[in-house]
Amino acid sequence: MKKNLVTIILINLFTAGLSFCQVTDPILAISKPAETNAPGAEYPRLDSEKRAYFRVNAPNAQKVQIDCGRTYDLVKGENGFWTVTTDPLVAGFHYYALIIDGFAFADPSSESFFGVGRMYSGIEVPEDGVDYYKPKNVPHGAVRSTYYFSTIANKYRRCFVYTPPDYDKNITARYPVLYLQHGMGEDERGWSVQGKMNFIMDNLIAEGKAKPMIVVMDNGGGNAFNIRPRTAAPAGNPAQPGAAPAGPRPGGGMGMMSGGVNFAEILIKETIPFIDANFRTLSDRENRAMAGLSMGGMQTIQITLANLDKFAYIGGFSGGPRFAQNDDIDKVYNGVFADPAAFNKKVKVFFLSIGSAEGMRTKETCDAFKKAGINCIYFESPGTAHEWLTWRRSLNEFAPLLFK
Amino acid sequence: MKKNLVTIILINLFTAGLSFCQVTDPILAISKPAETNAPGAEYPRLDSEKRAYFRVNAPNAQKVQIDCGRTYDLVKGENGFWTVTTDPLVAGFHYYALIIDGFAFADPSSESFFGVGRMYSGIEVPEDGVDYYKPKNVPHGAVRSTYYFSTIANKYRRCFVYTPPDYDKNITARYPVLYLQHGMGEDERGWSVQGKMNFIMDNLIAEGKAKPMIVVMDNGGGNAFNIRPRTAAPAGNPAQPGAAPAGPRPGGGMGMMSGGVNFAEILIKETIPFIDANFRTLSDRENRAMAGLSMGGMQTIQITLANLDKFAYIGGFSGGPRFAQNDDIDKVYNGVFADPAAFNKKVKVFFLSIGSAEGMRTKETCDAFKKAGINCIYFESPGTAHEWLTWRRSLNEFAPLLFK
């Protein structure tokens, strides 16, 4: 082991030396490593105009590409390094893939995120002057990884639970609960990792904008659609504002089933009872909300509307009610909207949101609800597509409306 | 979006159809997907003799390899799929990399783990008749992701905290604390993800073998040594029993510094006070233990021996005291071992462990301590190398000795 240690130290010193030599690279002066990079990785880098610089050491590759919605071909230099500079990217979190000789995978220079039915690269592009999803000097809640046995699925299921900052201090207080679901291709990790929901909640609670609440993030299924080996990367997020999303996208489907098991049944019969038994919850319907993004939004609509004895707050982010334009709102979802006054009394918040670059008719849907007398709250995330910044902003708008 | 949904559904049906056709593959009959696979991924697979079967769809690649300590070349079939069958693997968790045309990265078919200063593939090889690190029908604790601001590092630091199953029920009970550190190239995620420490603790506590305790897993640094782009995979774990580890390994170094900041100082001045202020701890030295693997073991020895007013239990797993064979035990570590009776009275447990395949002289070190009158407890993990099964077993042996 001692010999190995010496080797490592020498390598480190040598690497440090190399870094010094590279400081002459003009890109280093105008850009800095993305916050999503692996520790110490110098690339990918971002400049003040949100251009990303990629640099990949693959001397034996025939072709190197980056897919961040749009596919970029990298150019090989004499030193075996392939490089490319992207056009300015939209702020927020974007999935991307590195493609070598046609094989797409997670770039080892970045952190990986479970996003397309498997682990993929992500790059966080800073948003100027915005800090609601950043850690601040406020009391912090915790995200707990918990396990419960599902007799329906016949296996242990992992479930993440955010407890608010005062949960461990006010040891007799009970809290309302928001069930918050991921999209297709993602899993129960999405909201606390890509979504930074813990910082969003910490900050809202600290500012008195949201009530302290428990947030439960369970696995809603739909995360195994990508089992075929792929040779092209998923287009999770268009790299350019307004670009059209292409192909199957994270969060772009129904996926009620997880390994042949119905998530709605698990949530109602197992997850909620587990949470109410193991956390200090307020367990009546007036203190229970559900929201989700994309597939999770569709699940939310389907589950809450069929269980209005259990939920009083509903949020669909980039995924909401599904019916044809000429359907009669009175008739859809088993007639739950037929008596608008009764619905509005029961459902305290009915919230639908979308990214403006998604090109979806969510505003029109919300307007149709309003015309039918349903109190629909609409939020549009400016300039963002079917991606996490849309959903961070949606949560930041939705959570303050809850339990008031 | 509706058009996308239809596309996804059709693709899913088509994929399902393909799967049916492939059932004739004889490998499918004698093997099953590794539990570390991405959801729904059919490969890599493992058979009853612990051989791994890899299958990679890379029709345009010139060369495809797997590195799981030993490097295997895959063979290209007519259909563009590359395949290989490994020799029988040692049970437990192994890092591995997929290499295409010389570029090493995490296999998208498997989950990724932060293991070599970046995200890498892992494969869990089942261990016959062993379930101490599996979820069982016992009360479960939770692993909490928490954040604290470090004035020393001038940034927020993430810290994982395991709370025992009864922590939320016995709301006035206070608990002893084990500080448990990862190895080089890993981070605060290692113990709860690769190490499955939560299940180990749940099971030990349920059987009455270990006292309920809080376990804190902080970032000990040393996780940015691998910042040079690599063209060969790190040899995290020899694939065969007794094979010699090659090159820099996860957990193979000192790495006291994290971004130029001393972890020992952060732990003593910031992490411990944060934990004692925010969890119901017993905060005297008799109720505080520290252990770590590899680099984390060396950190443990260095930190605890310099702070015996704060720690009464010490564990070094595949990483312990470092001194030359002809050094006088009386003199090393500022003479802390000079009075064996005083040391034994103060340090309730002094535990050193190693994997038998590591080829390290840990037993001799422990014997030397014993000869000098120091109560050294030695544990050897049979058949395992510098890898997680050694460390799961070490924790399973060490935790029952604590706080008794």
Side-chain angles (χ1 to χ4, degrees), chain B residues 13 15 79 83 149 183 187 196 222 235 238 242 261 281 302 320 357 359 369 387:
Chain B
L13 291 175
T15 311
N79 52 5
T83 57
F149 188 79
D187 71 7
K196 297 177 183 279
V261 173
T281 64
Q302 193 162 336
F369 275 118
E387 58 189 325

Side-chain angles (χ1 to χ4, degrees), chain A residues 263-277:
Chain A
F263 170 62
E265 191 186 357
I266 291 178
L267 182 74
I268 298 293
K269 293 188 183 168
E270 299 188 324
T271 319
I272 292 176
F274 165 74
I275 296 297
D276 284 336

Side-chain angles (χ1 to χ4, degrees), chain A residues 1 5 15 40 57 60 101 105 111 136-137 140 143-145 156 168 189 227-229 252-253 322 360, chain B residues 1 5 8 15 40 57 101 103 105 111 136-137 143-145 156 168 189 227-229 252-253 322 360:
Chain A
M1 180 174 277
L5 282 178
T15 310
N57 183 18
N60 300 320
D101 294 343
F105 54 87
E111 268 285 344
K136 296 189 203 174
N137 186 19
H140 293 281
V143 174
R144 306 180 181 194
S145 169
Y156 280 92
D168 287 323
R189 286 172 280 192
I227 61 174
R228 292 157 304 126
R322 300 172 69 234
M360 303 297 294
Chain B
M1 181 174 273
L5 282 178
I8 289 168
T15 311
N57 183 18
D101 295 342
F103 193 87
F105 55 87
E111 268 284 345
K136 295 190 206 175
N137 185 19
V143 175
R144 308 180 183 196
S145 169
Y156 280 92
D168 286 321
R189 288 171 278 193
I227 60 174
R228 292 157 302 126
R322 300 172 68 234
M360 302 297 294

Side-chain angles (χ1 to χ4, degrees), chain A residues 122-249:
Chain A
I123 185 168
E124 179 82 29
V125 181
E127 195 180 1
D128 304 326
V130 171
D131 63 0
Y132 70 89
Y133 51 79
K134 293 188 178 161
K136 296 189 203 174
N137 186 19
V138 299
H140 293 281
V143 174
R144 306 180 181 194
S145 169
T146 65
Y147 288 84
Y148 64 96
F149 188 79
S150 163
T151 53
I152 297 170
N154 194 30
K155 65 174 183 183
Y156 280 92
R157 284 170 57 90
R158 183 173 62 176
C159 179
F160 286 101
V161 181
Y162 168 85
T163 51
D166 53 354
Y167 188 87
D168 287 323
K169 304 252 149 103
N170 300 342
I171 56 178
T172 56
R174 304 190 78 87
Y175 298 85
V177 186
L178 164 62
Y179 289 82
L180 187 61
Q181 289 301 125
H182 61 83
M184 184 174 250
E186 295 160 351
D187 70 6
E188 66 274 22
R189 286 172 280 192
W191 268 108
S192 61
V193 180
Q194 293 95 306
K196 299 177 183 280
M197 61 70 61
N198 52 322
F199 298 130
I200 296 173
M201 294 307 302
D202 289 347
N203 293 331
L204 286 173
I205 292 168
E207 292 171 42
K209 288 184 182 167
K211 285 190 90 163
M213 66 185 81
I214 292 167
V215 184
V216 177
M217 295 154 283
D218 203 11
N219 188 322
N223 40 32
F225 78 100
N226 191 22
I227 61 174
R228 292 157 304 126
R230 294 179 71 125
T231 51
N237 305 286
Q240 292 183 293
R249 299 172 300 165

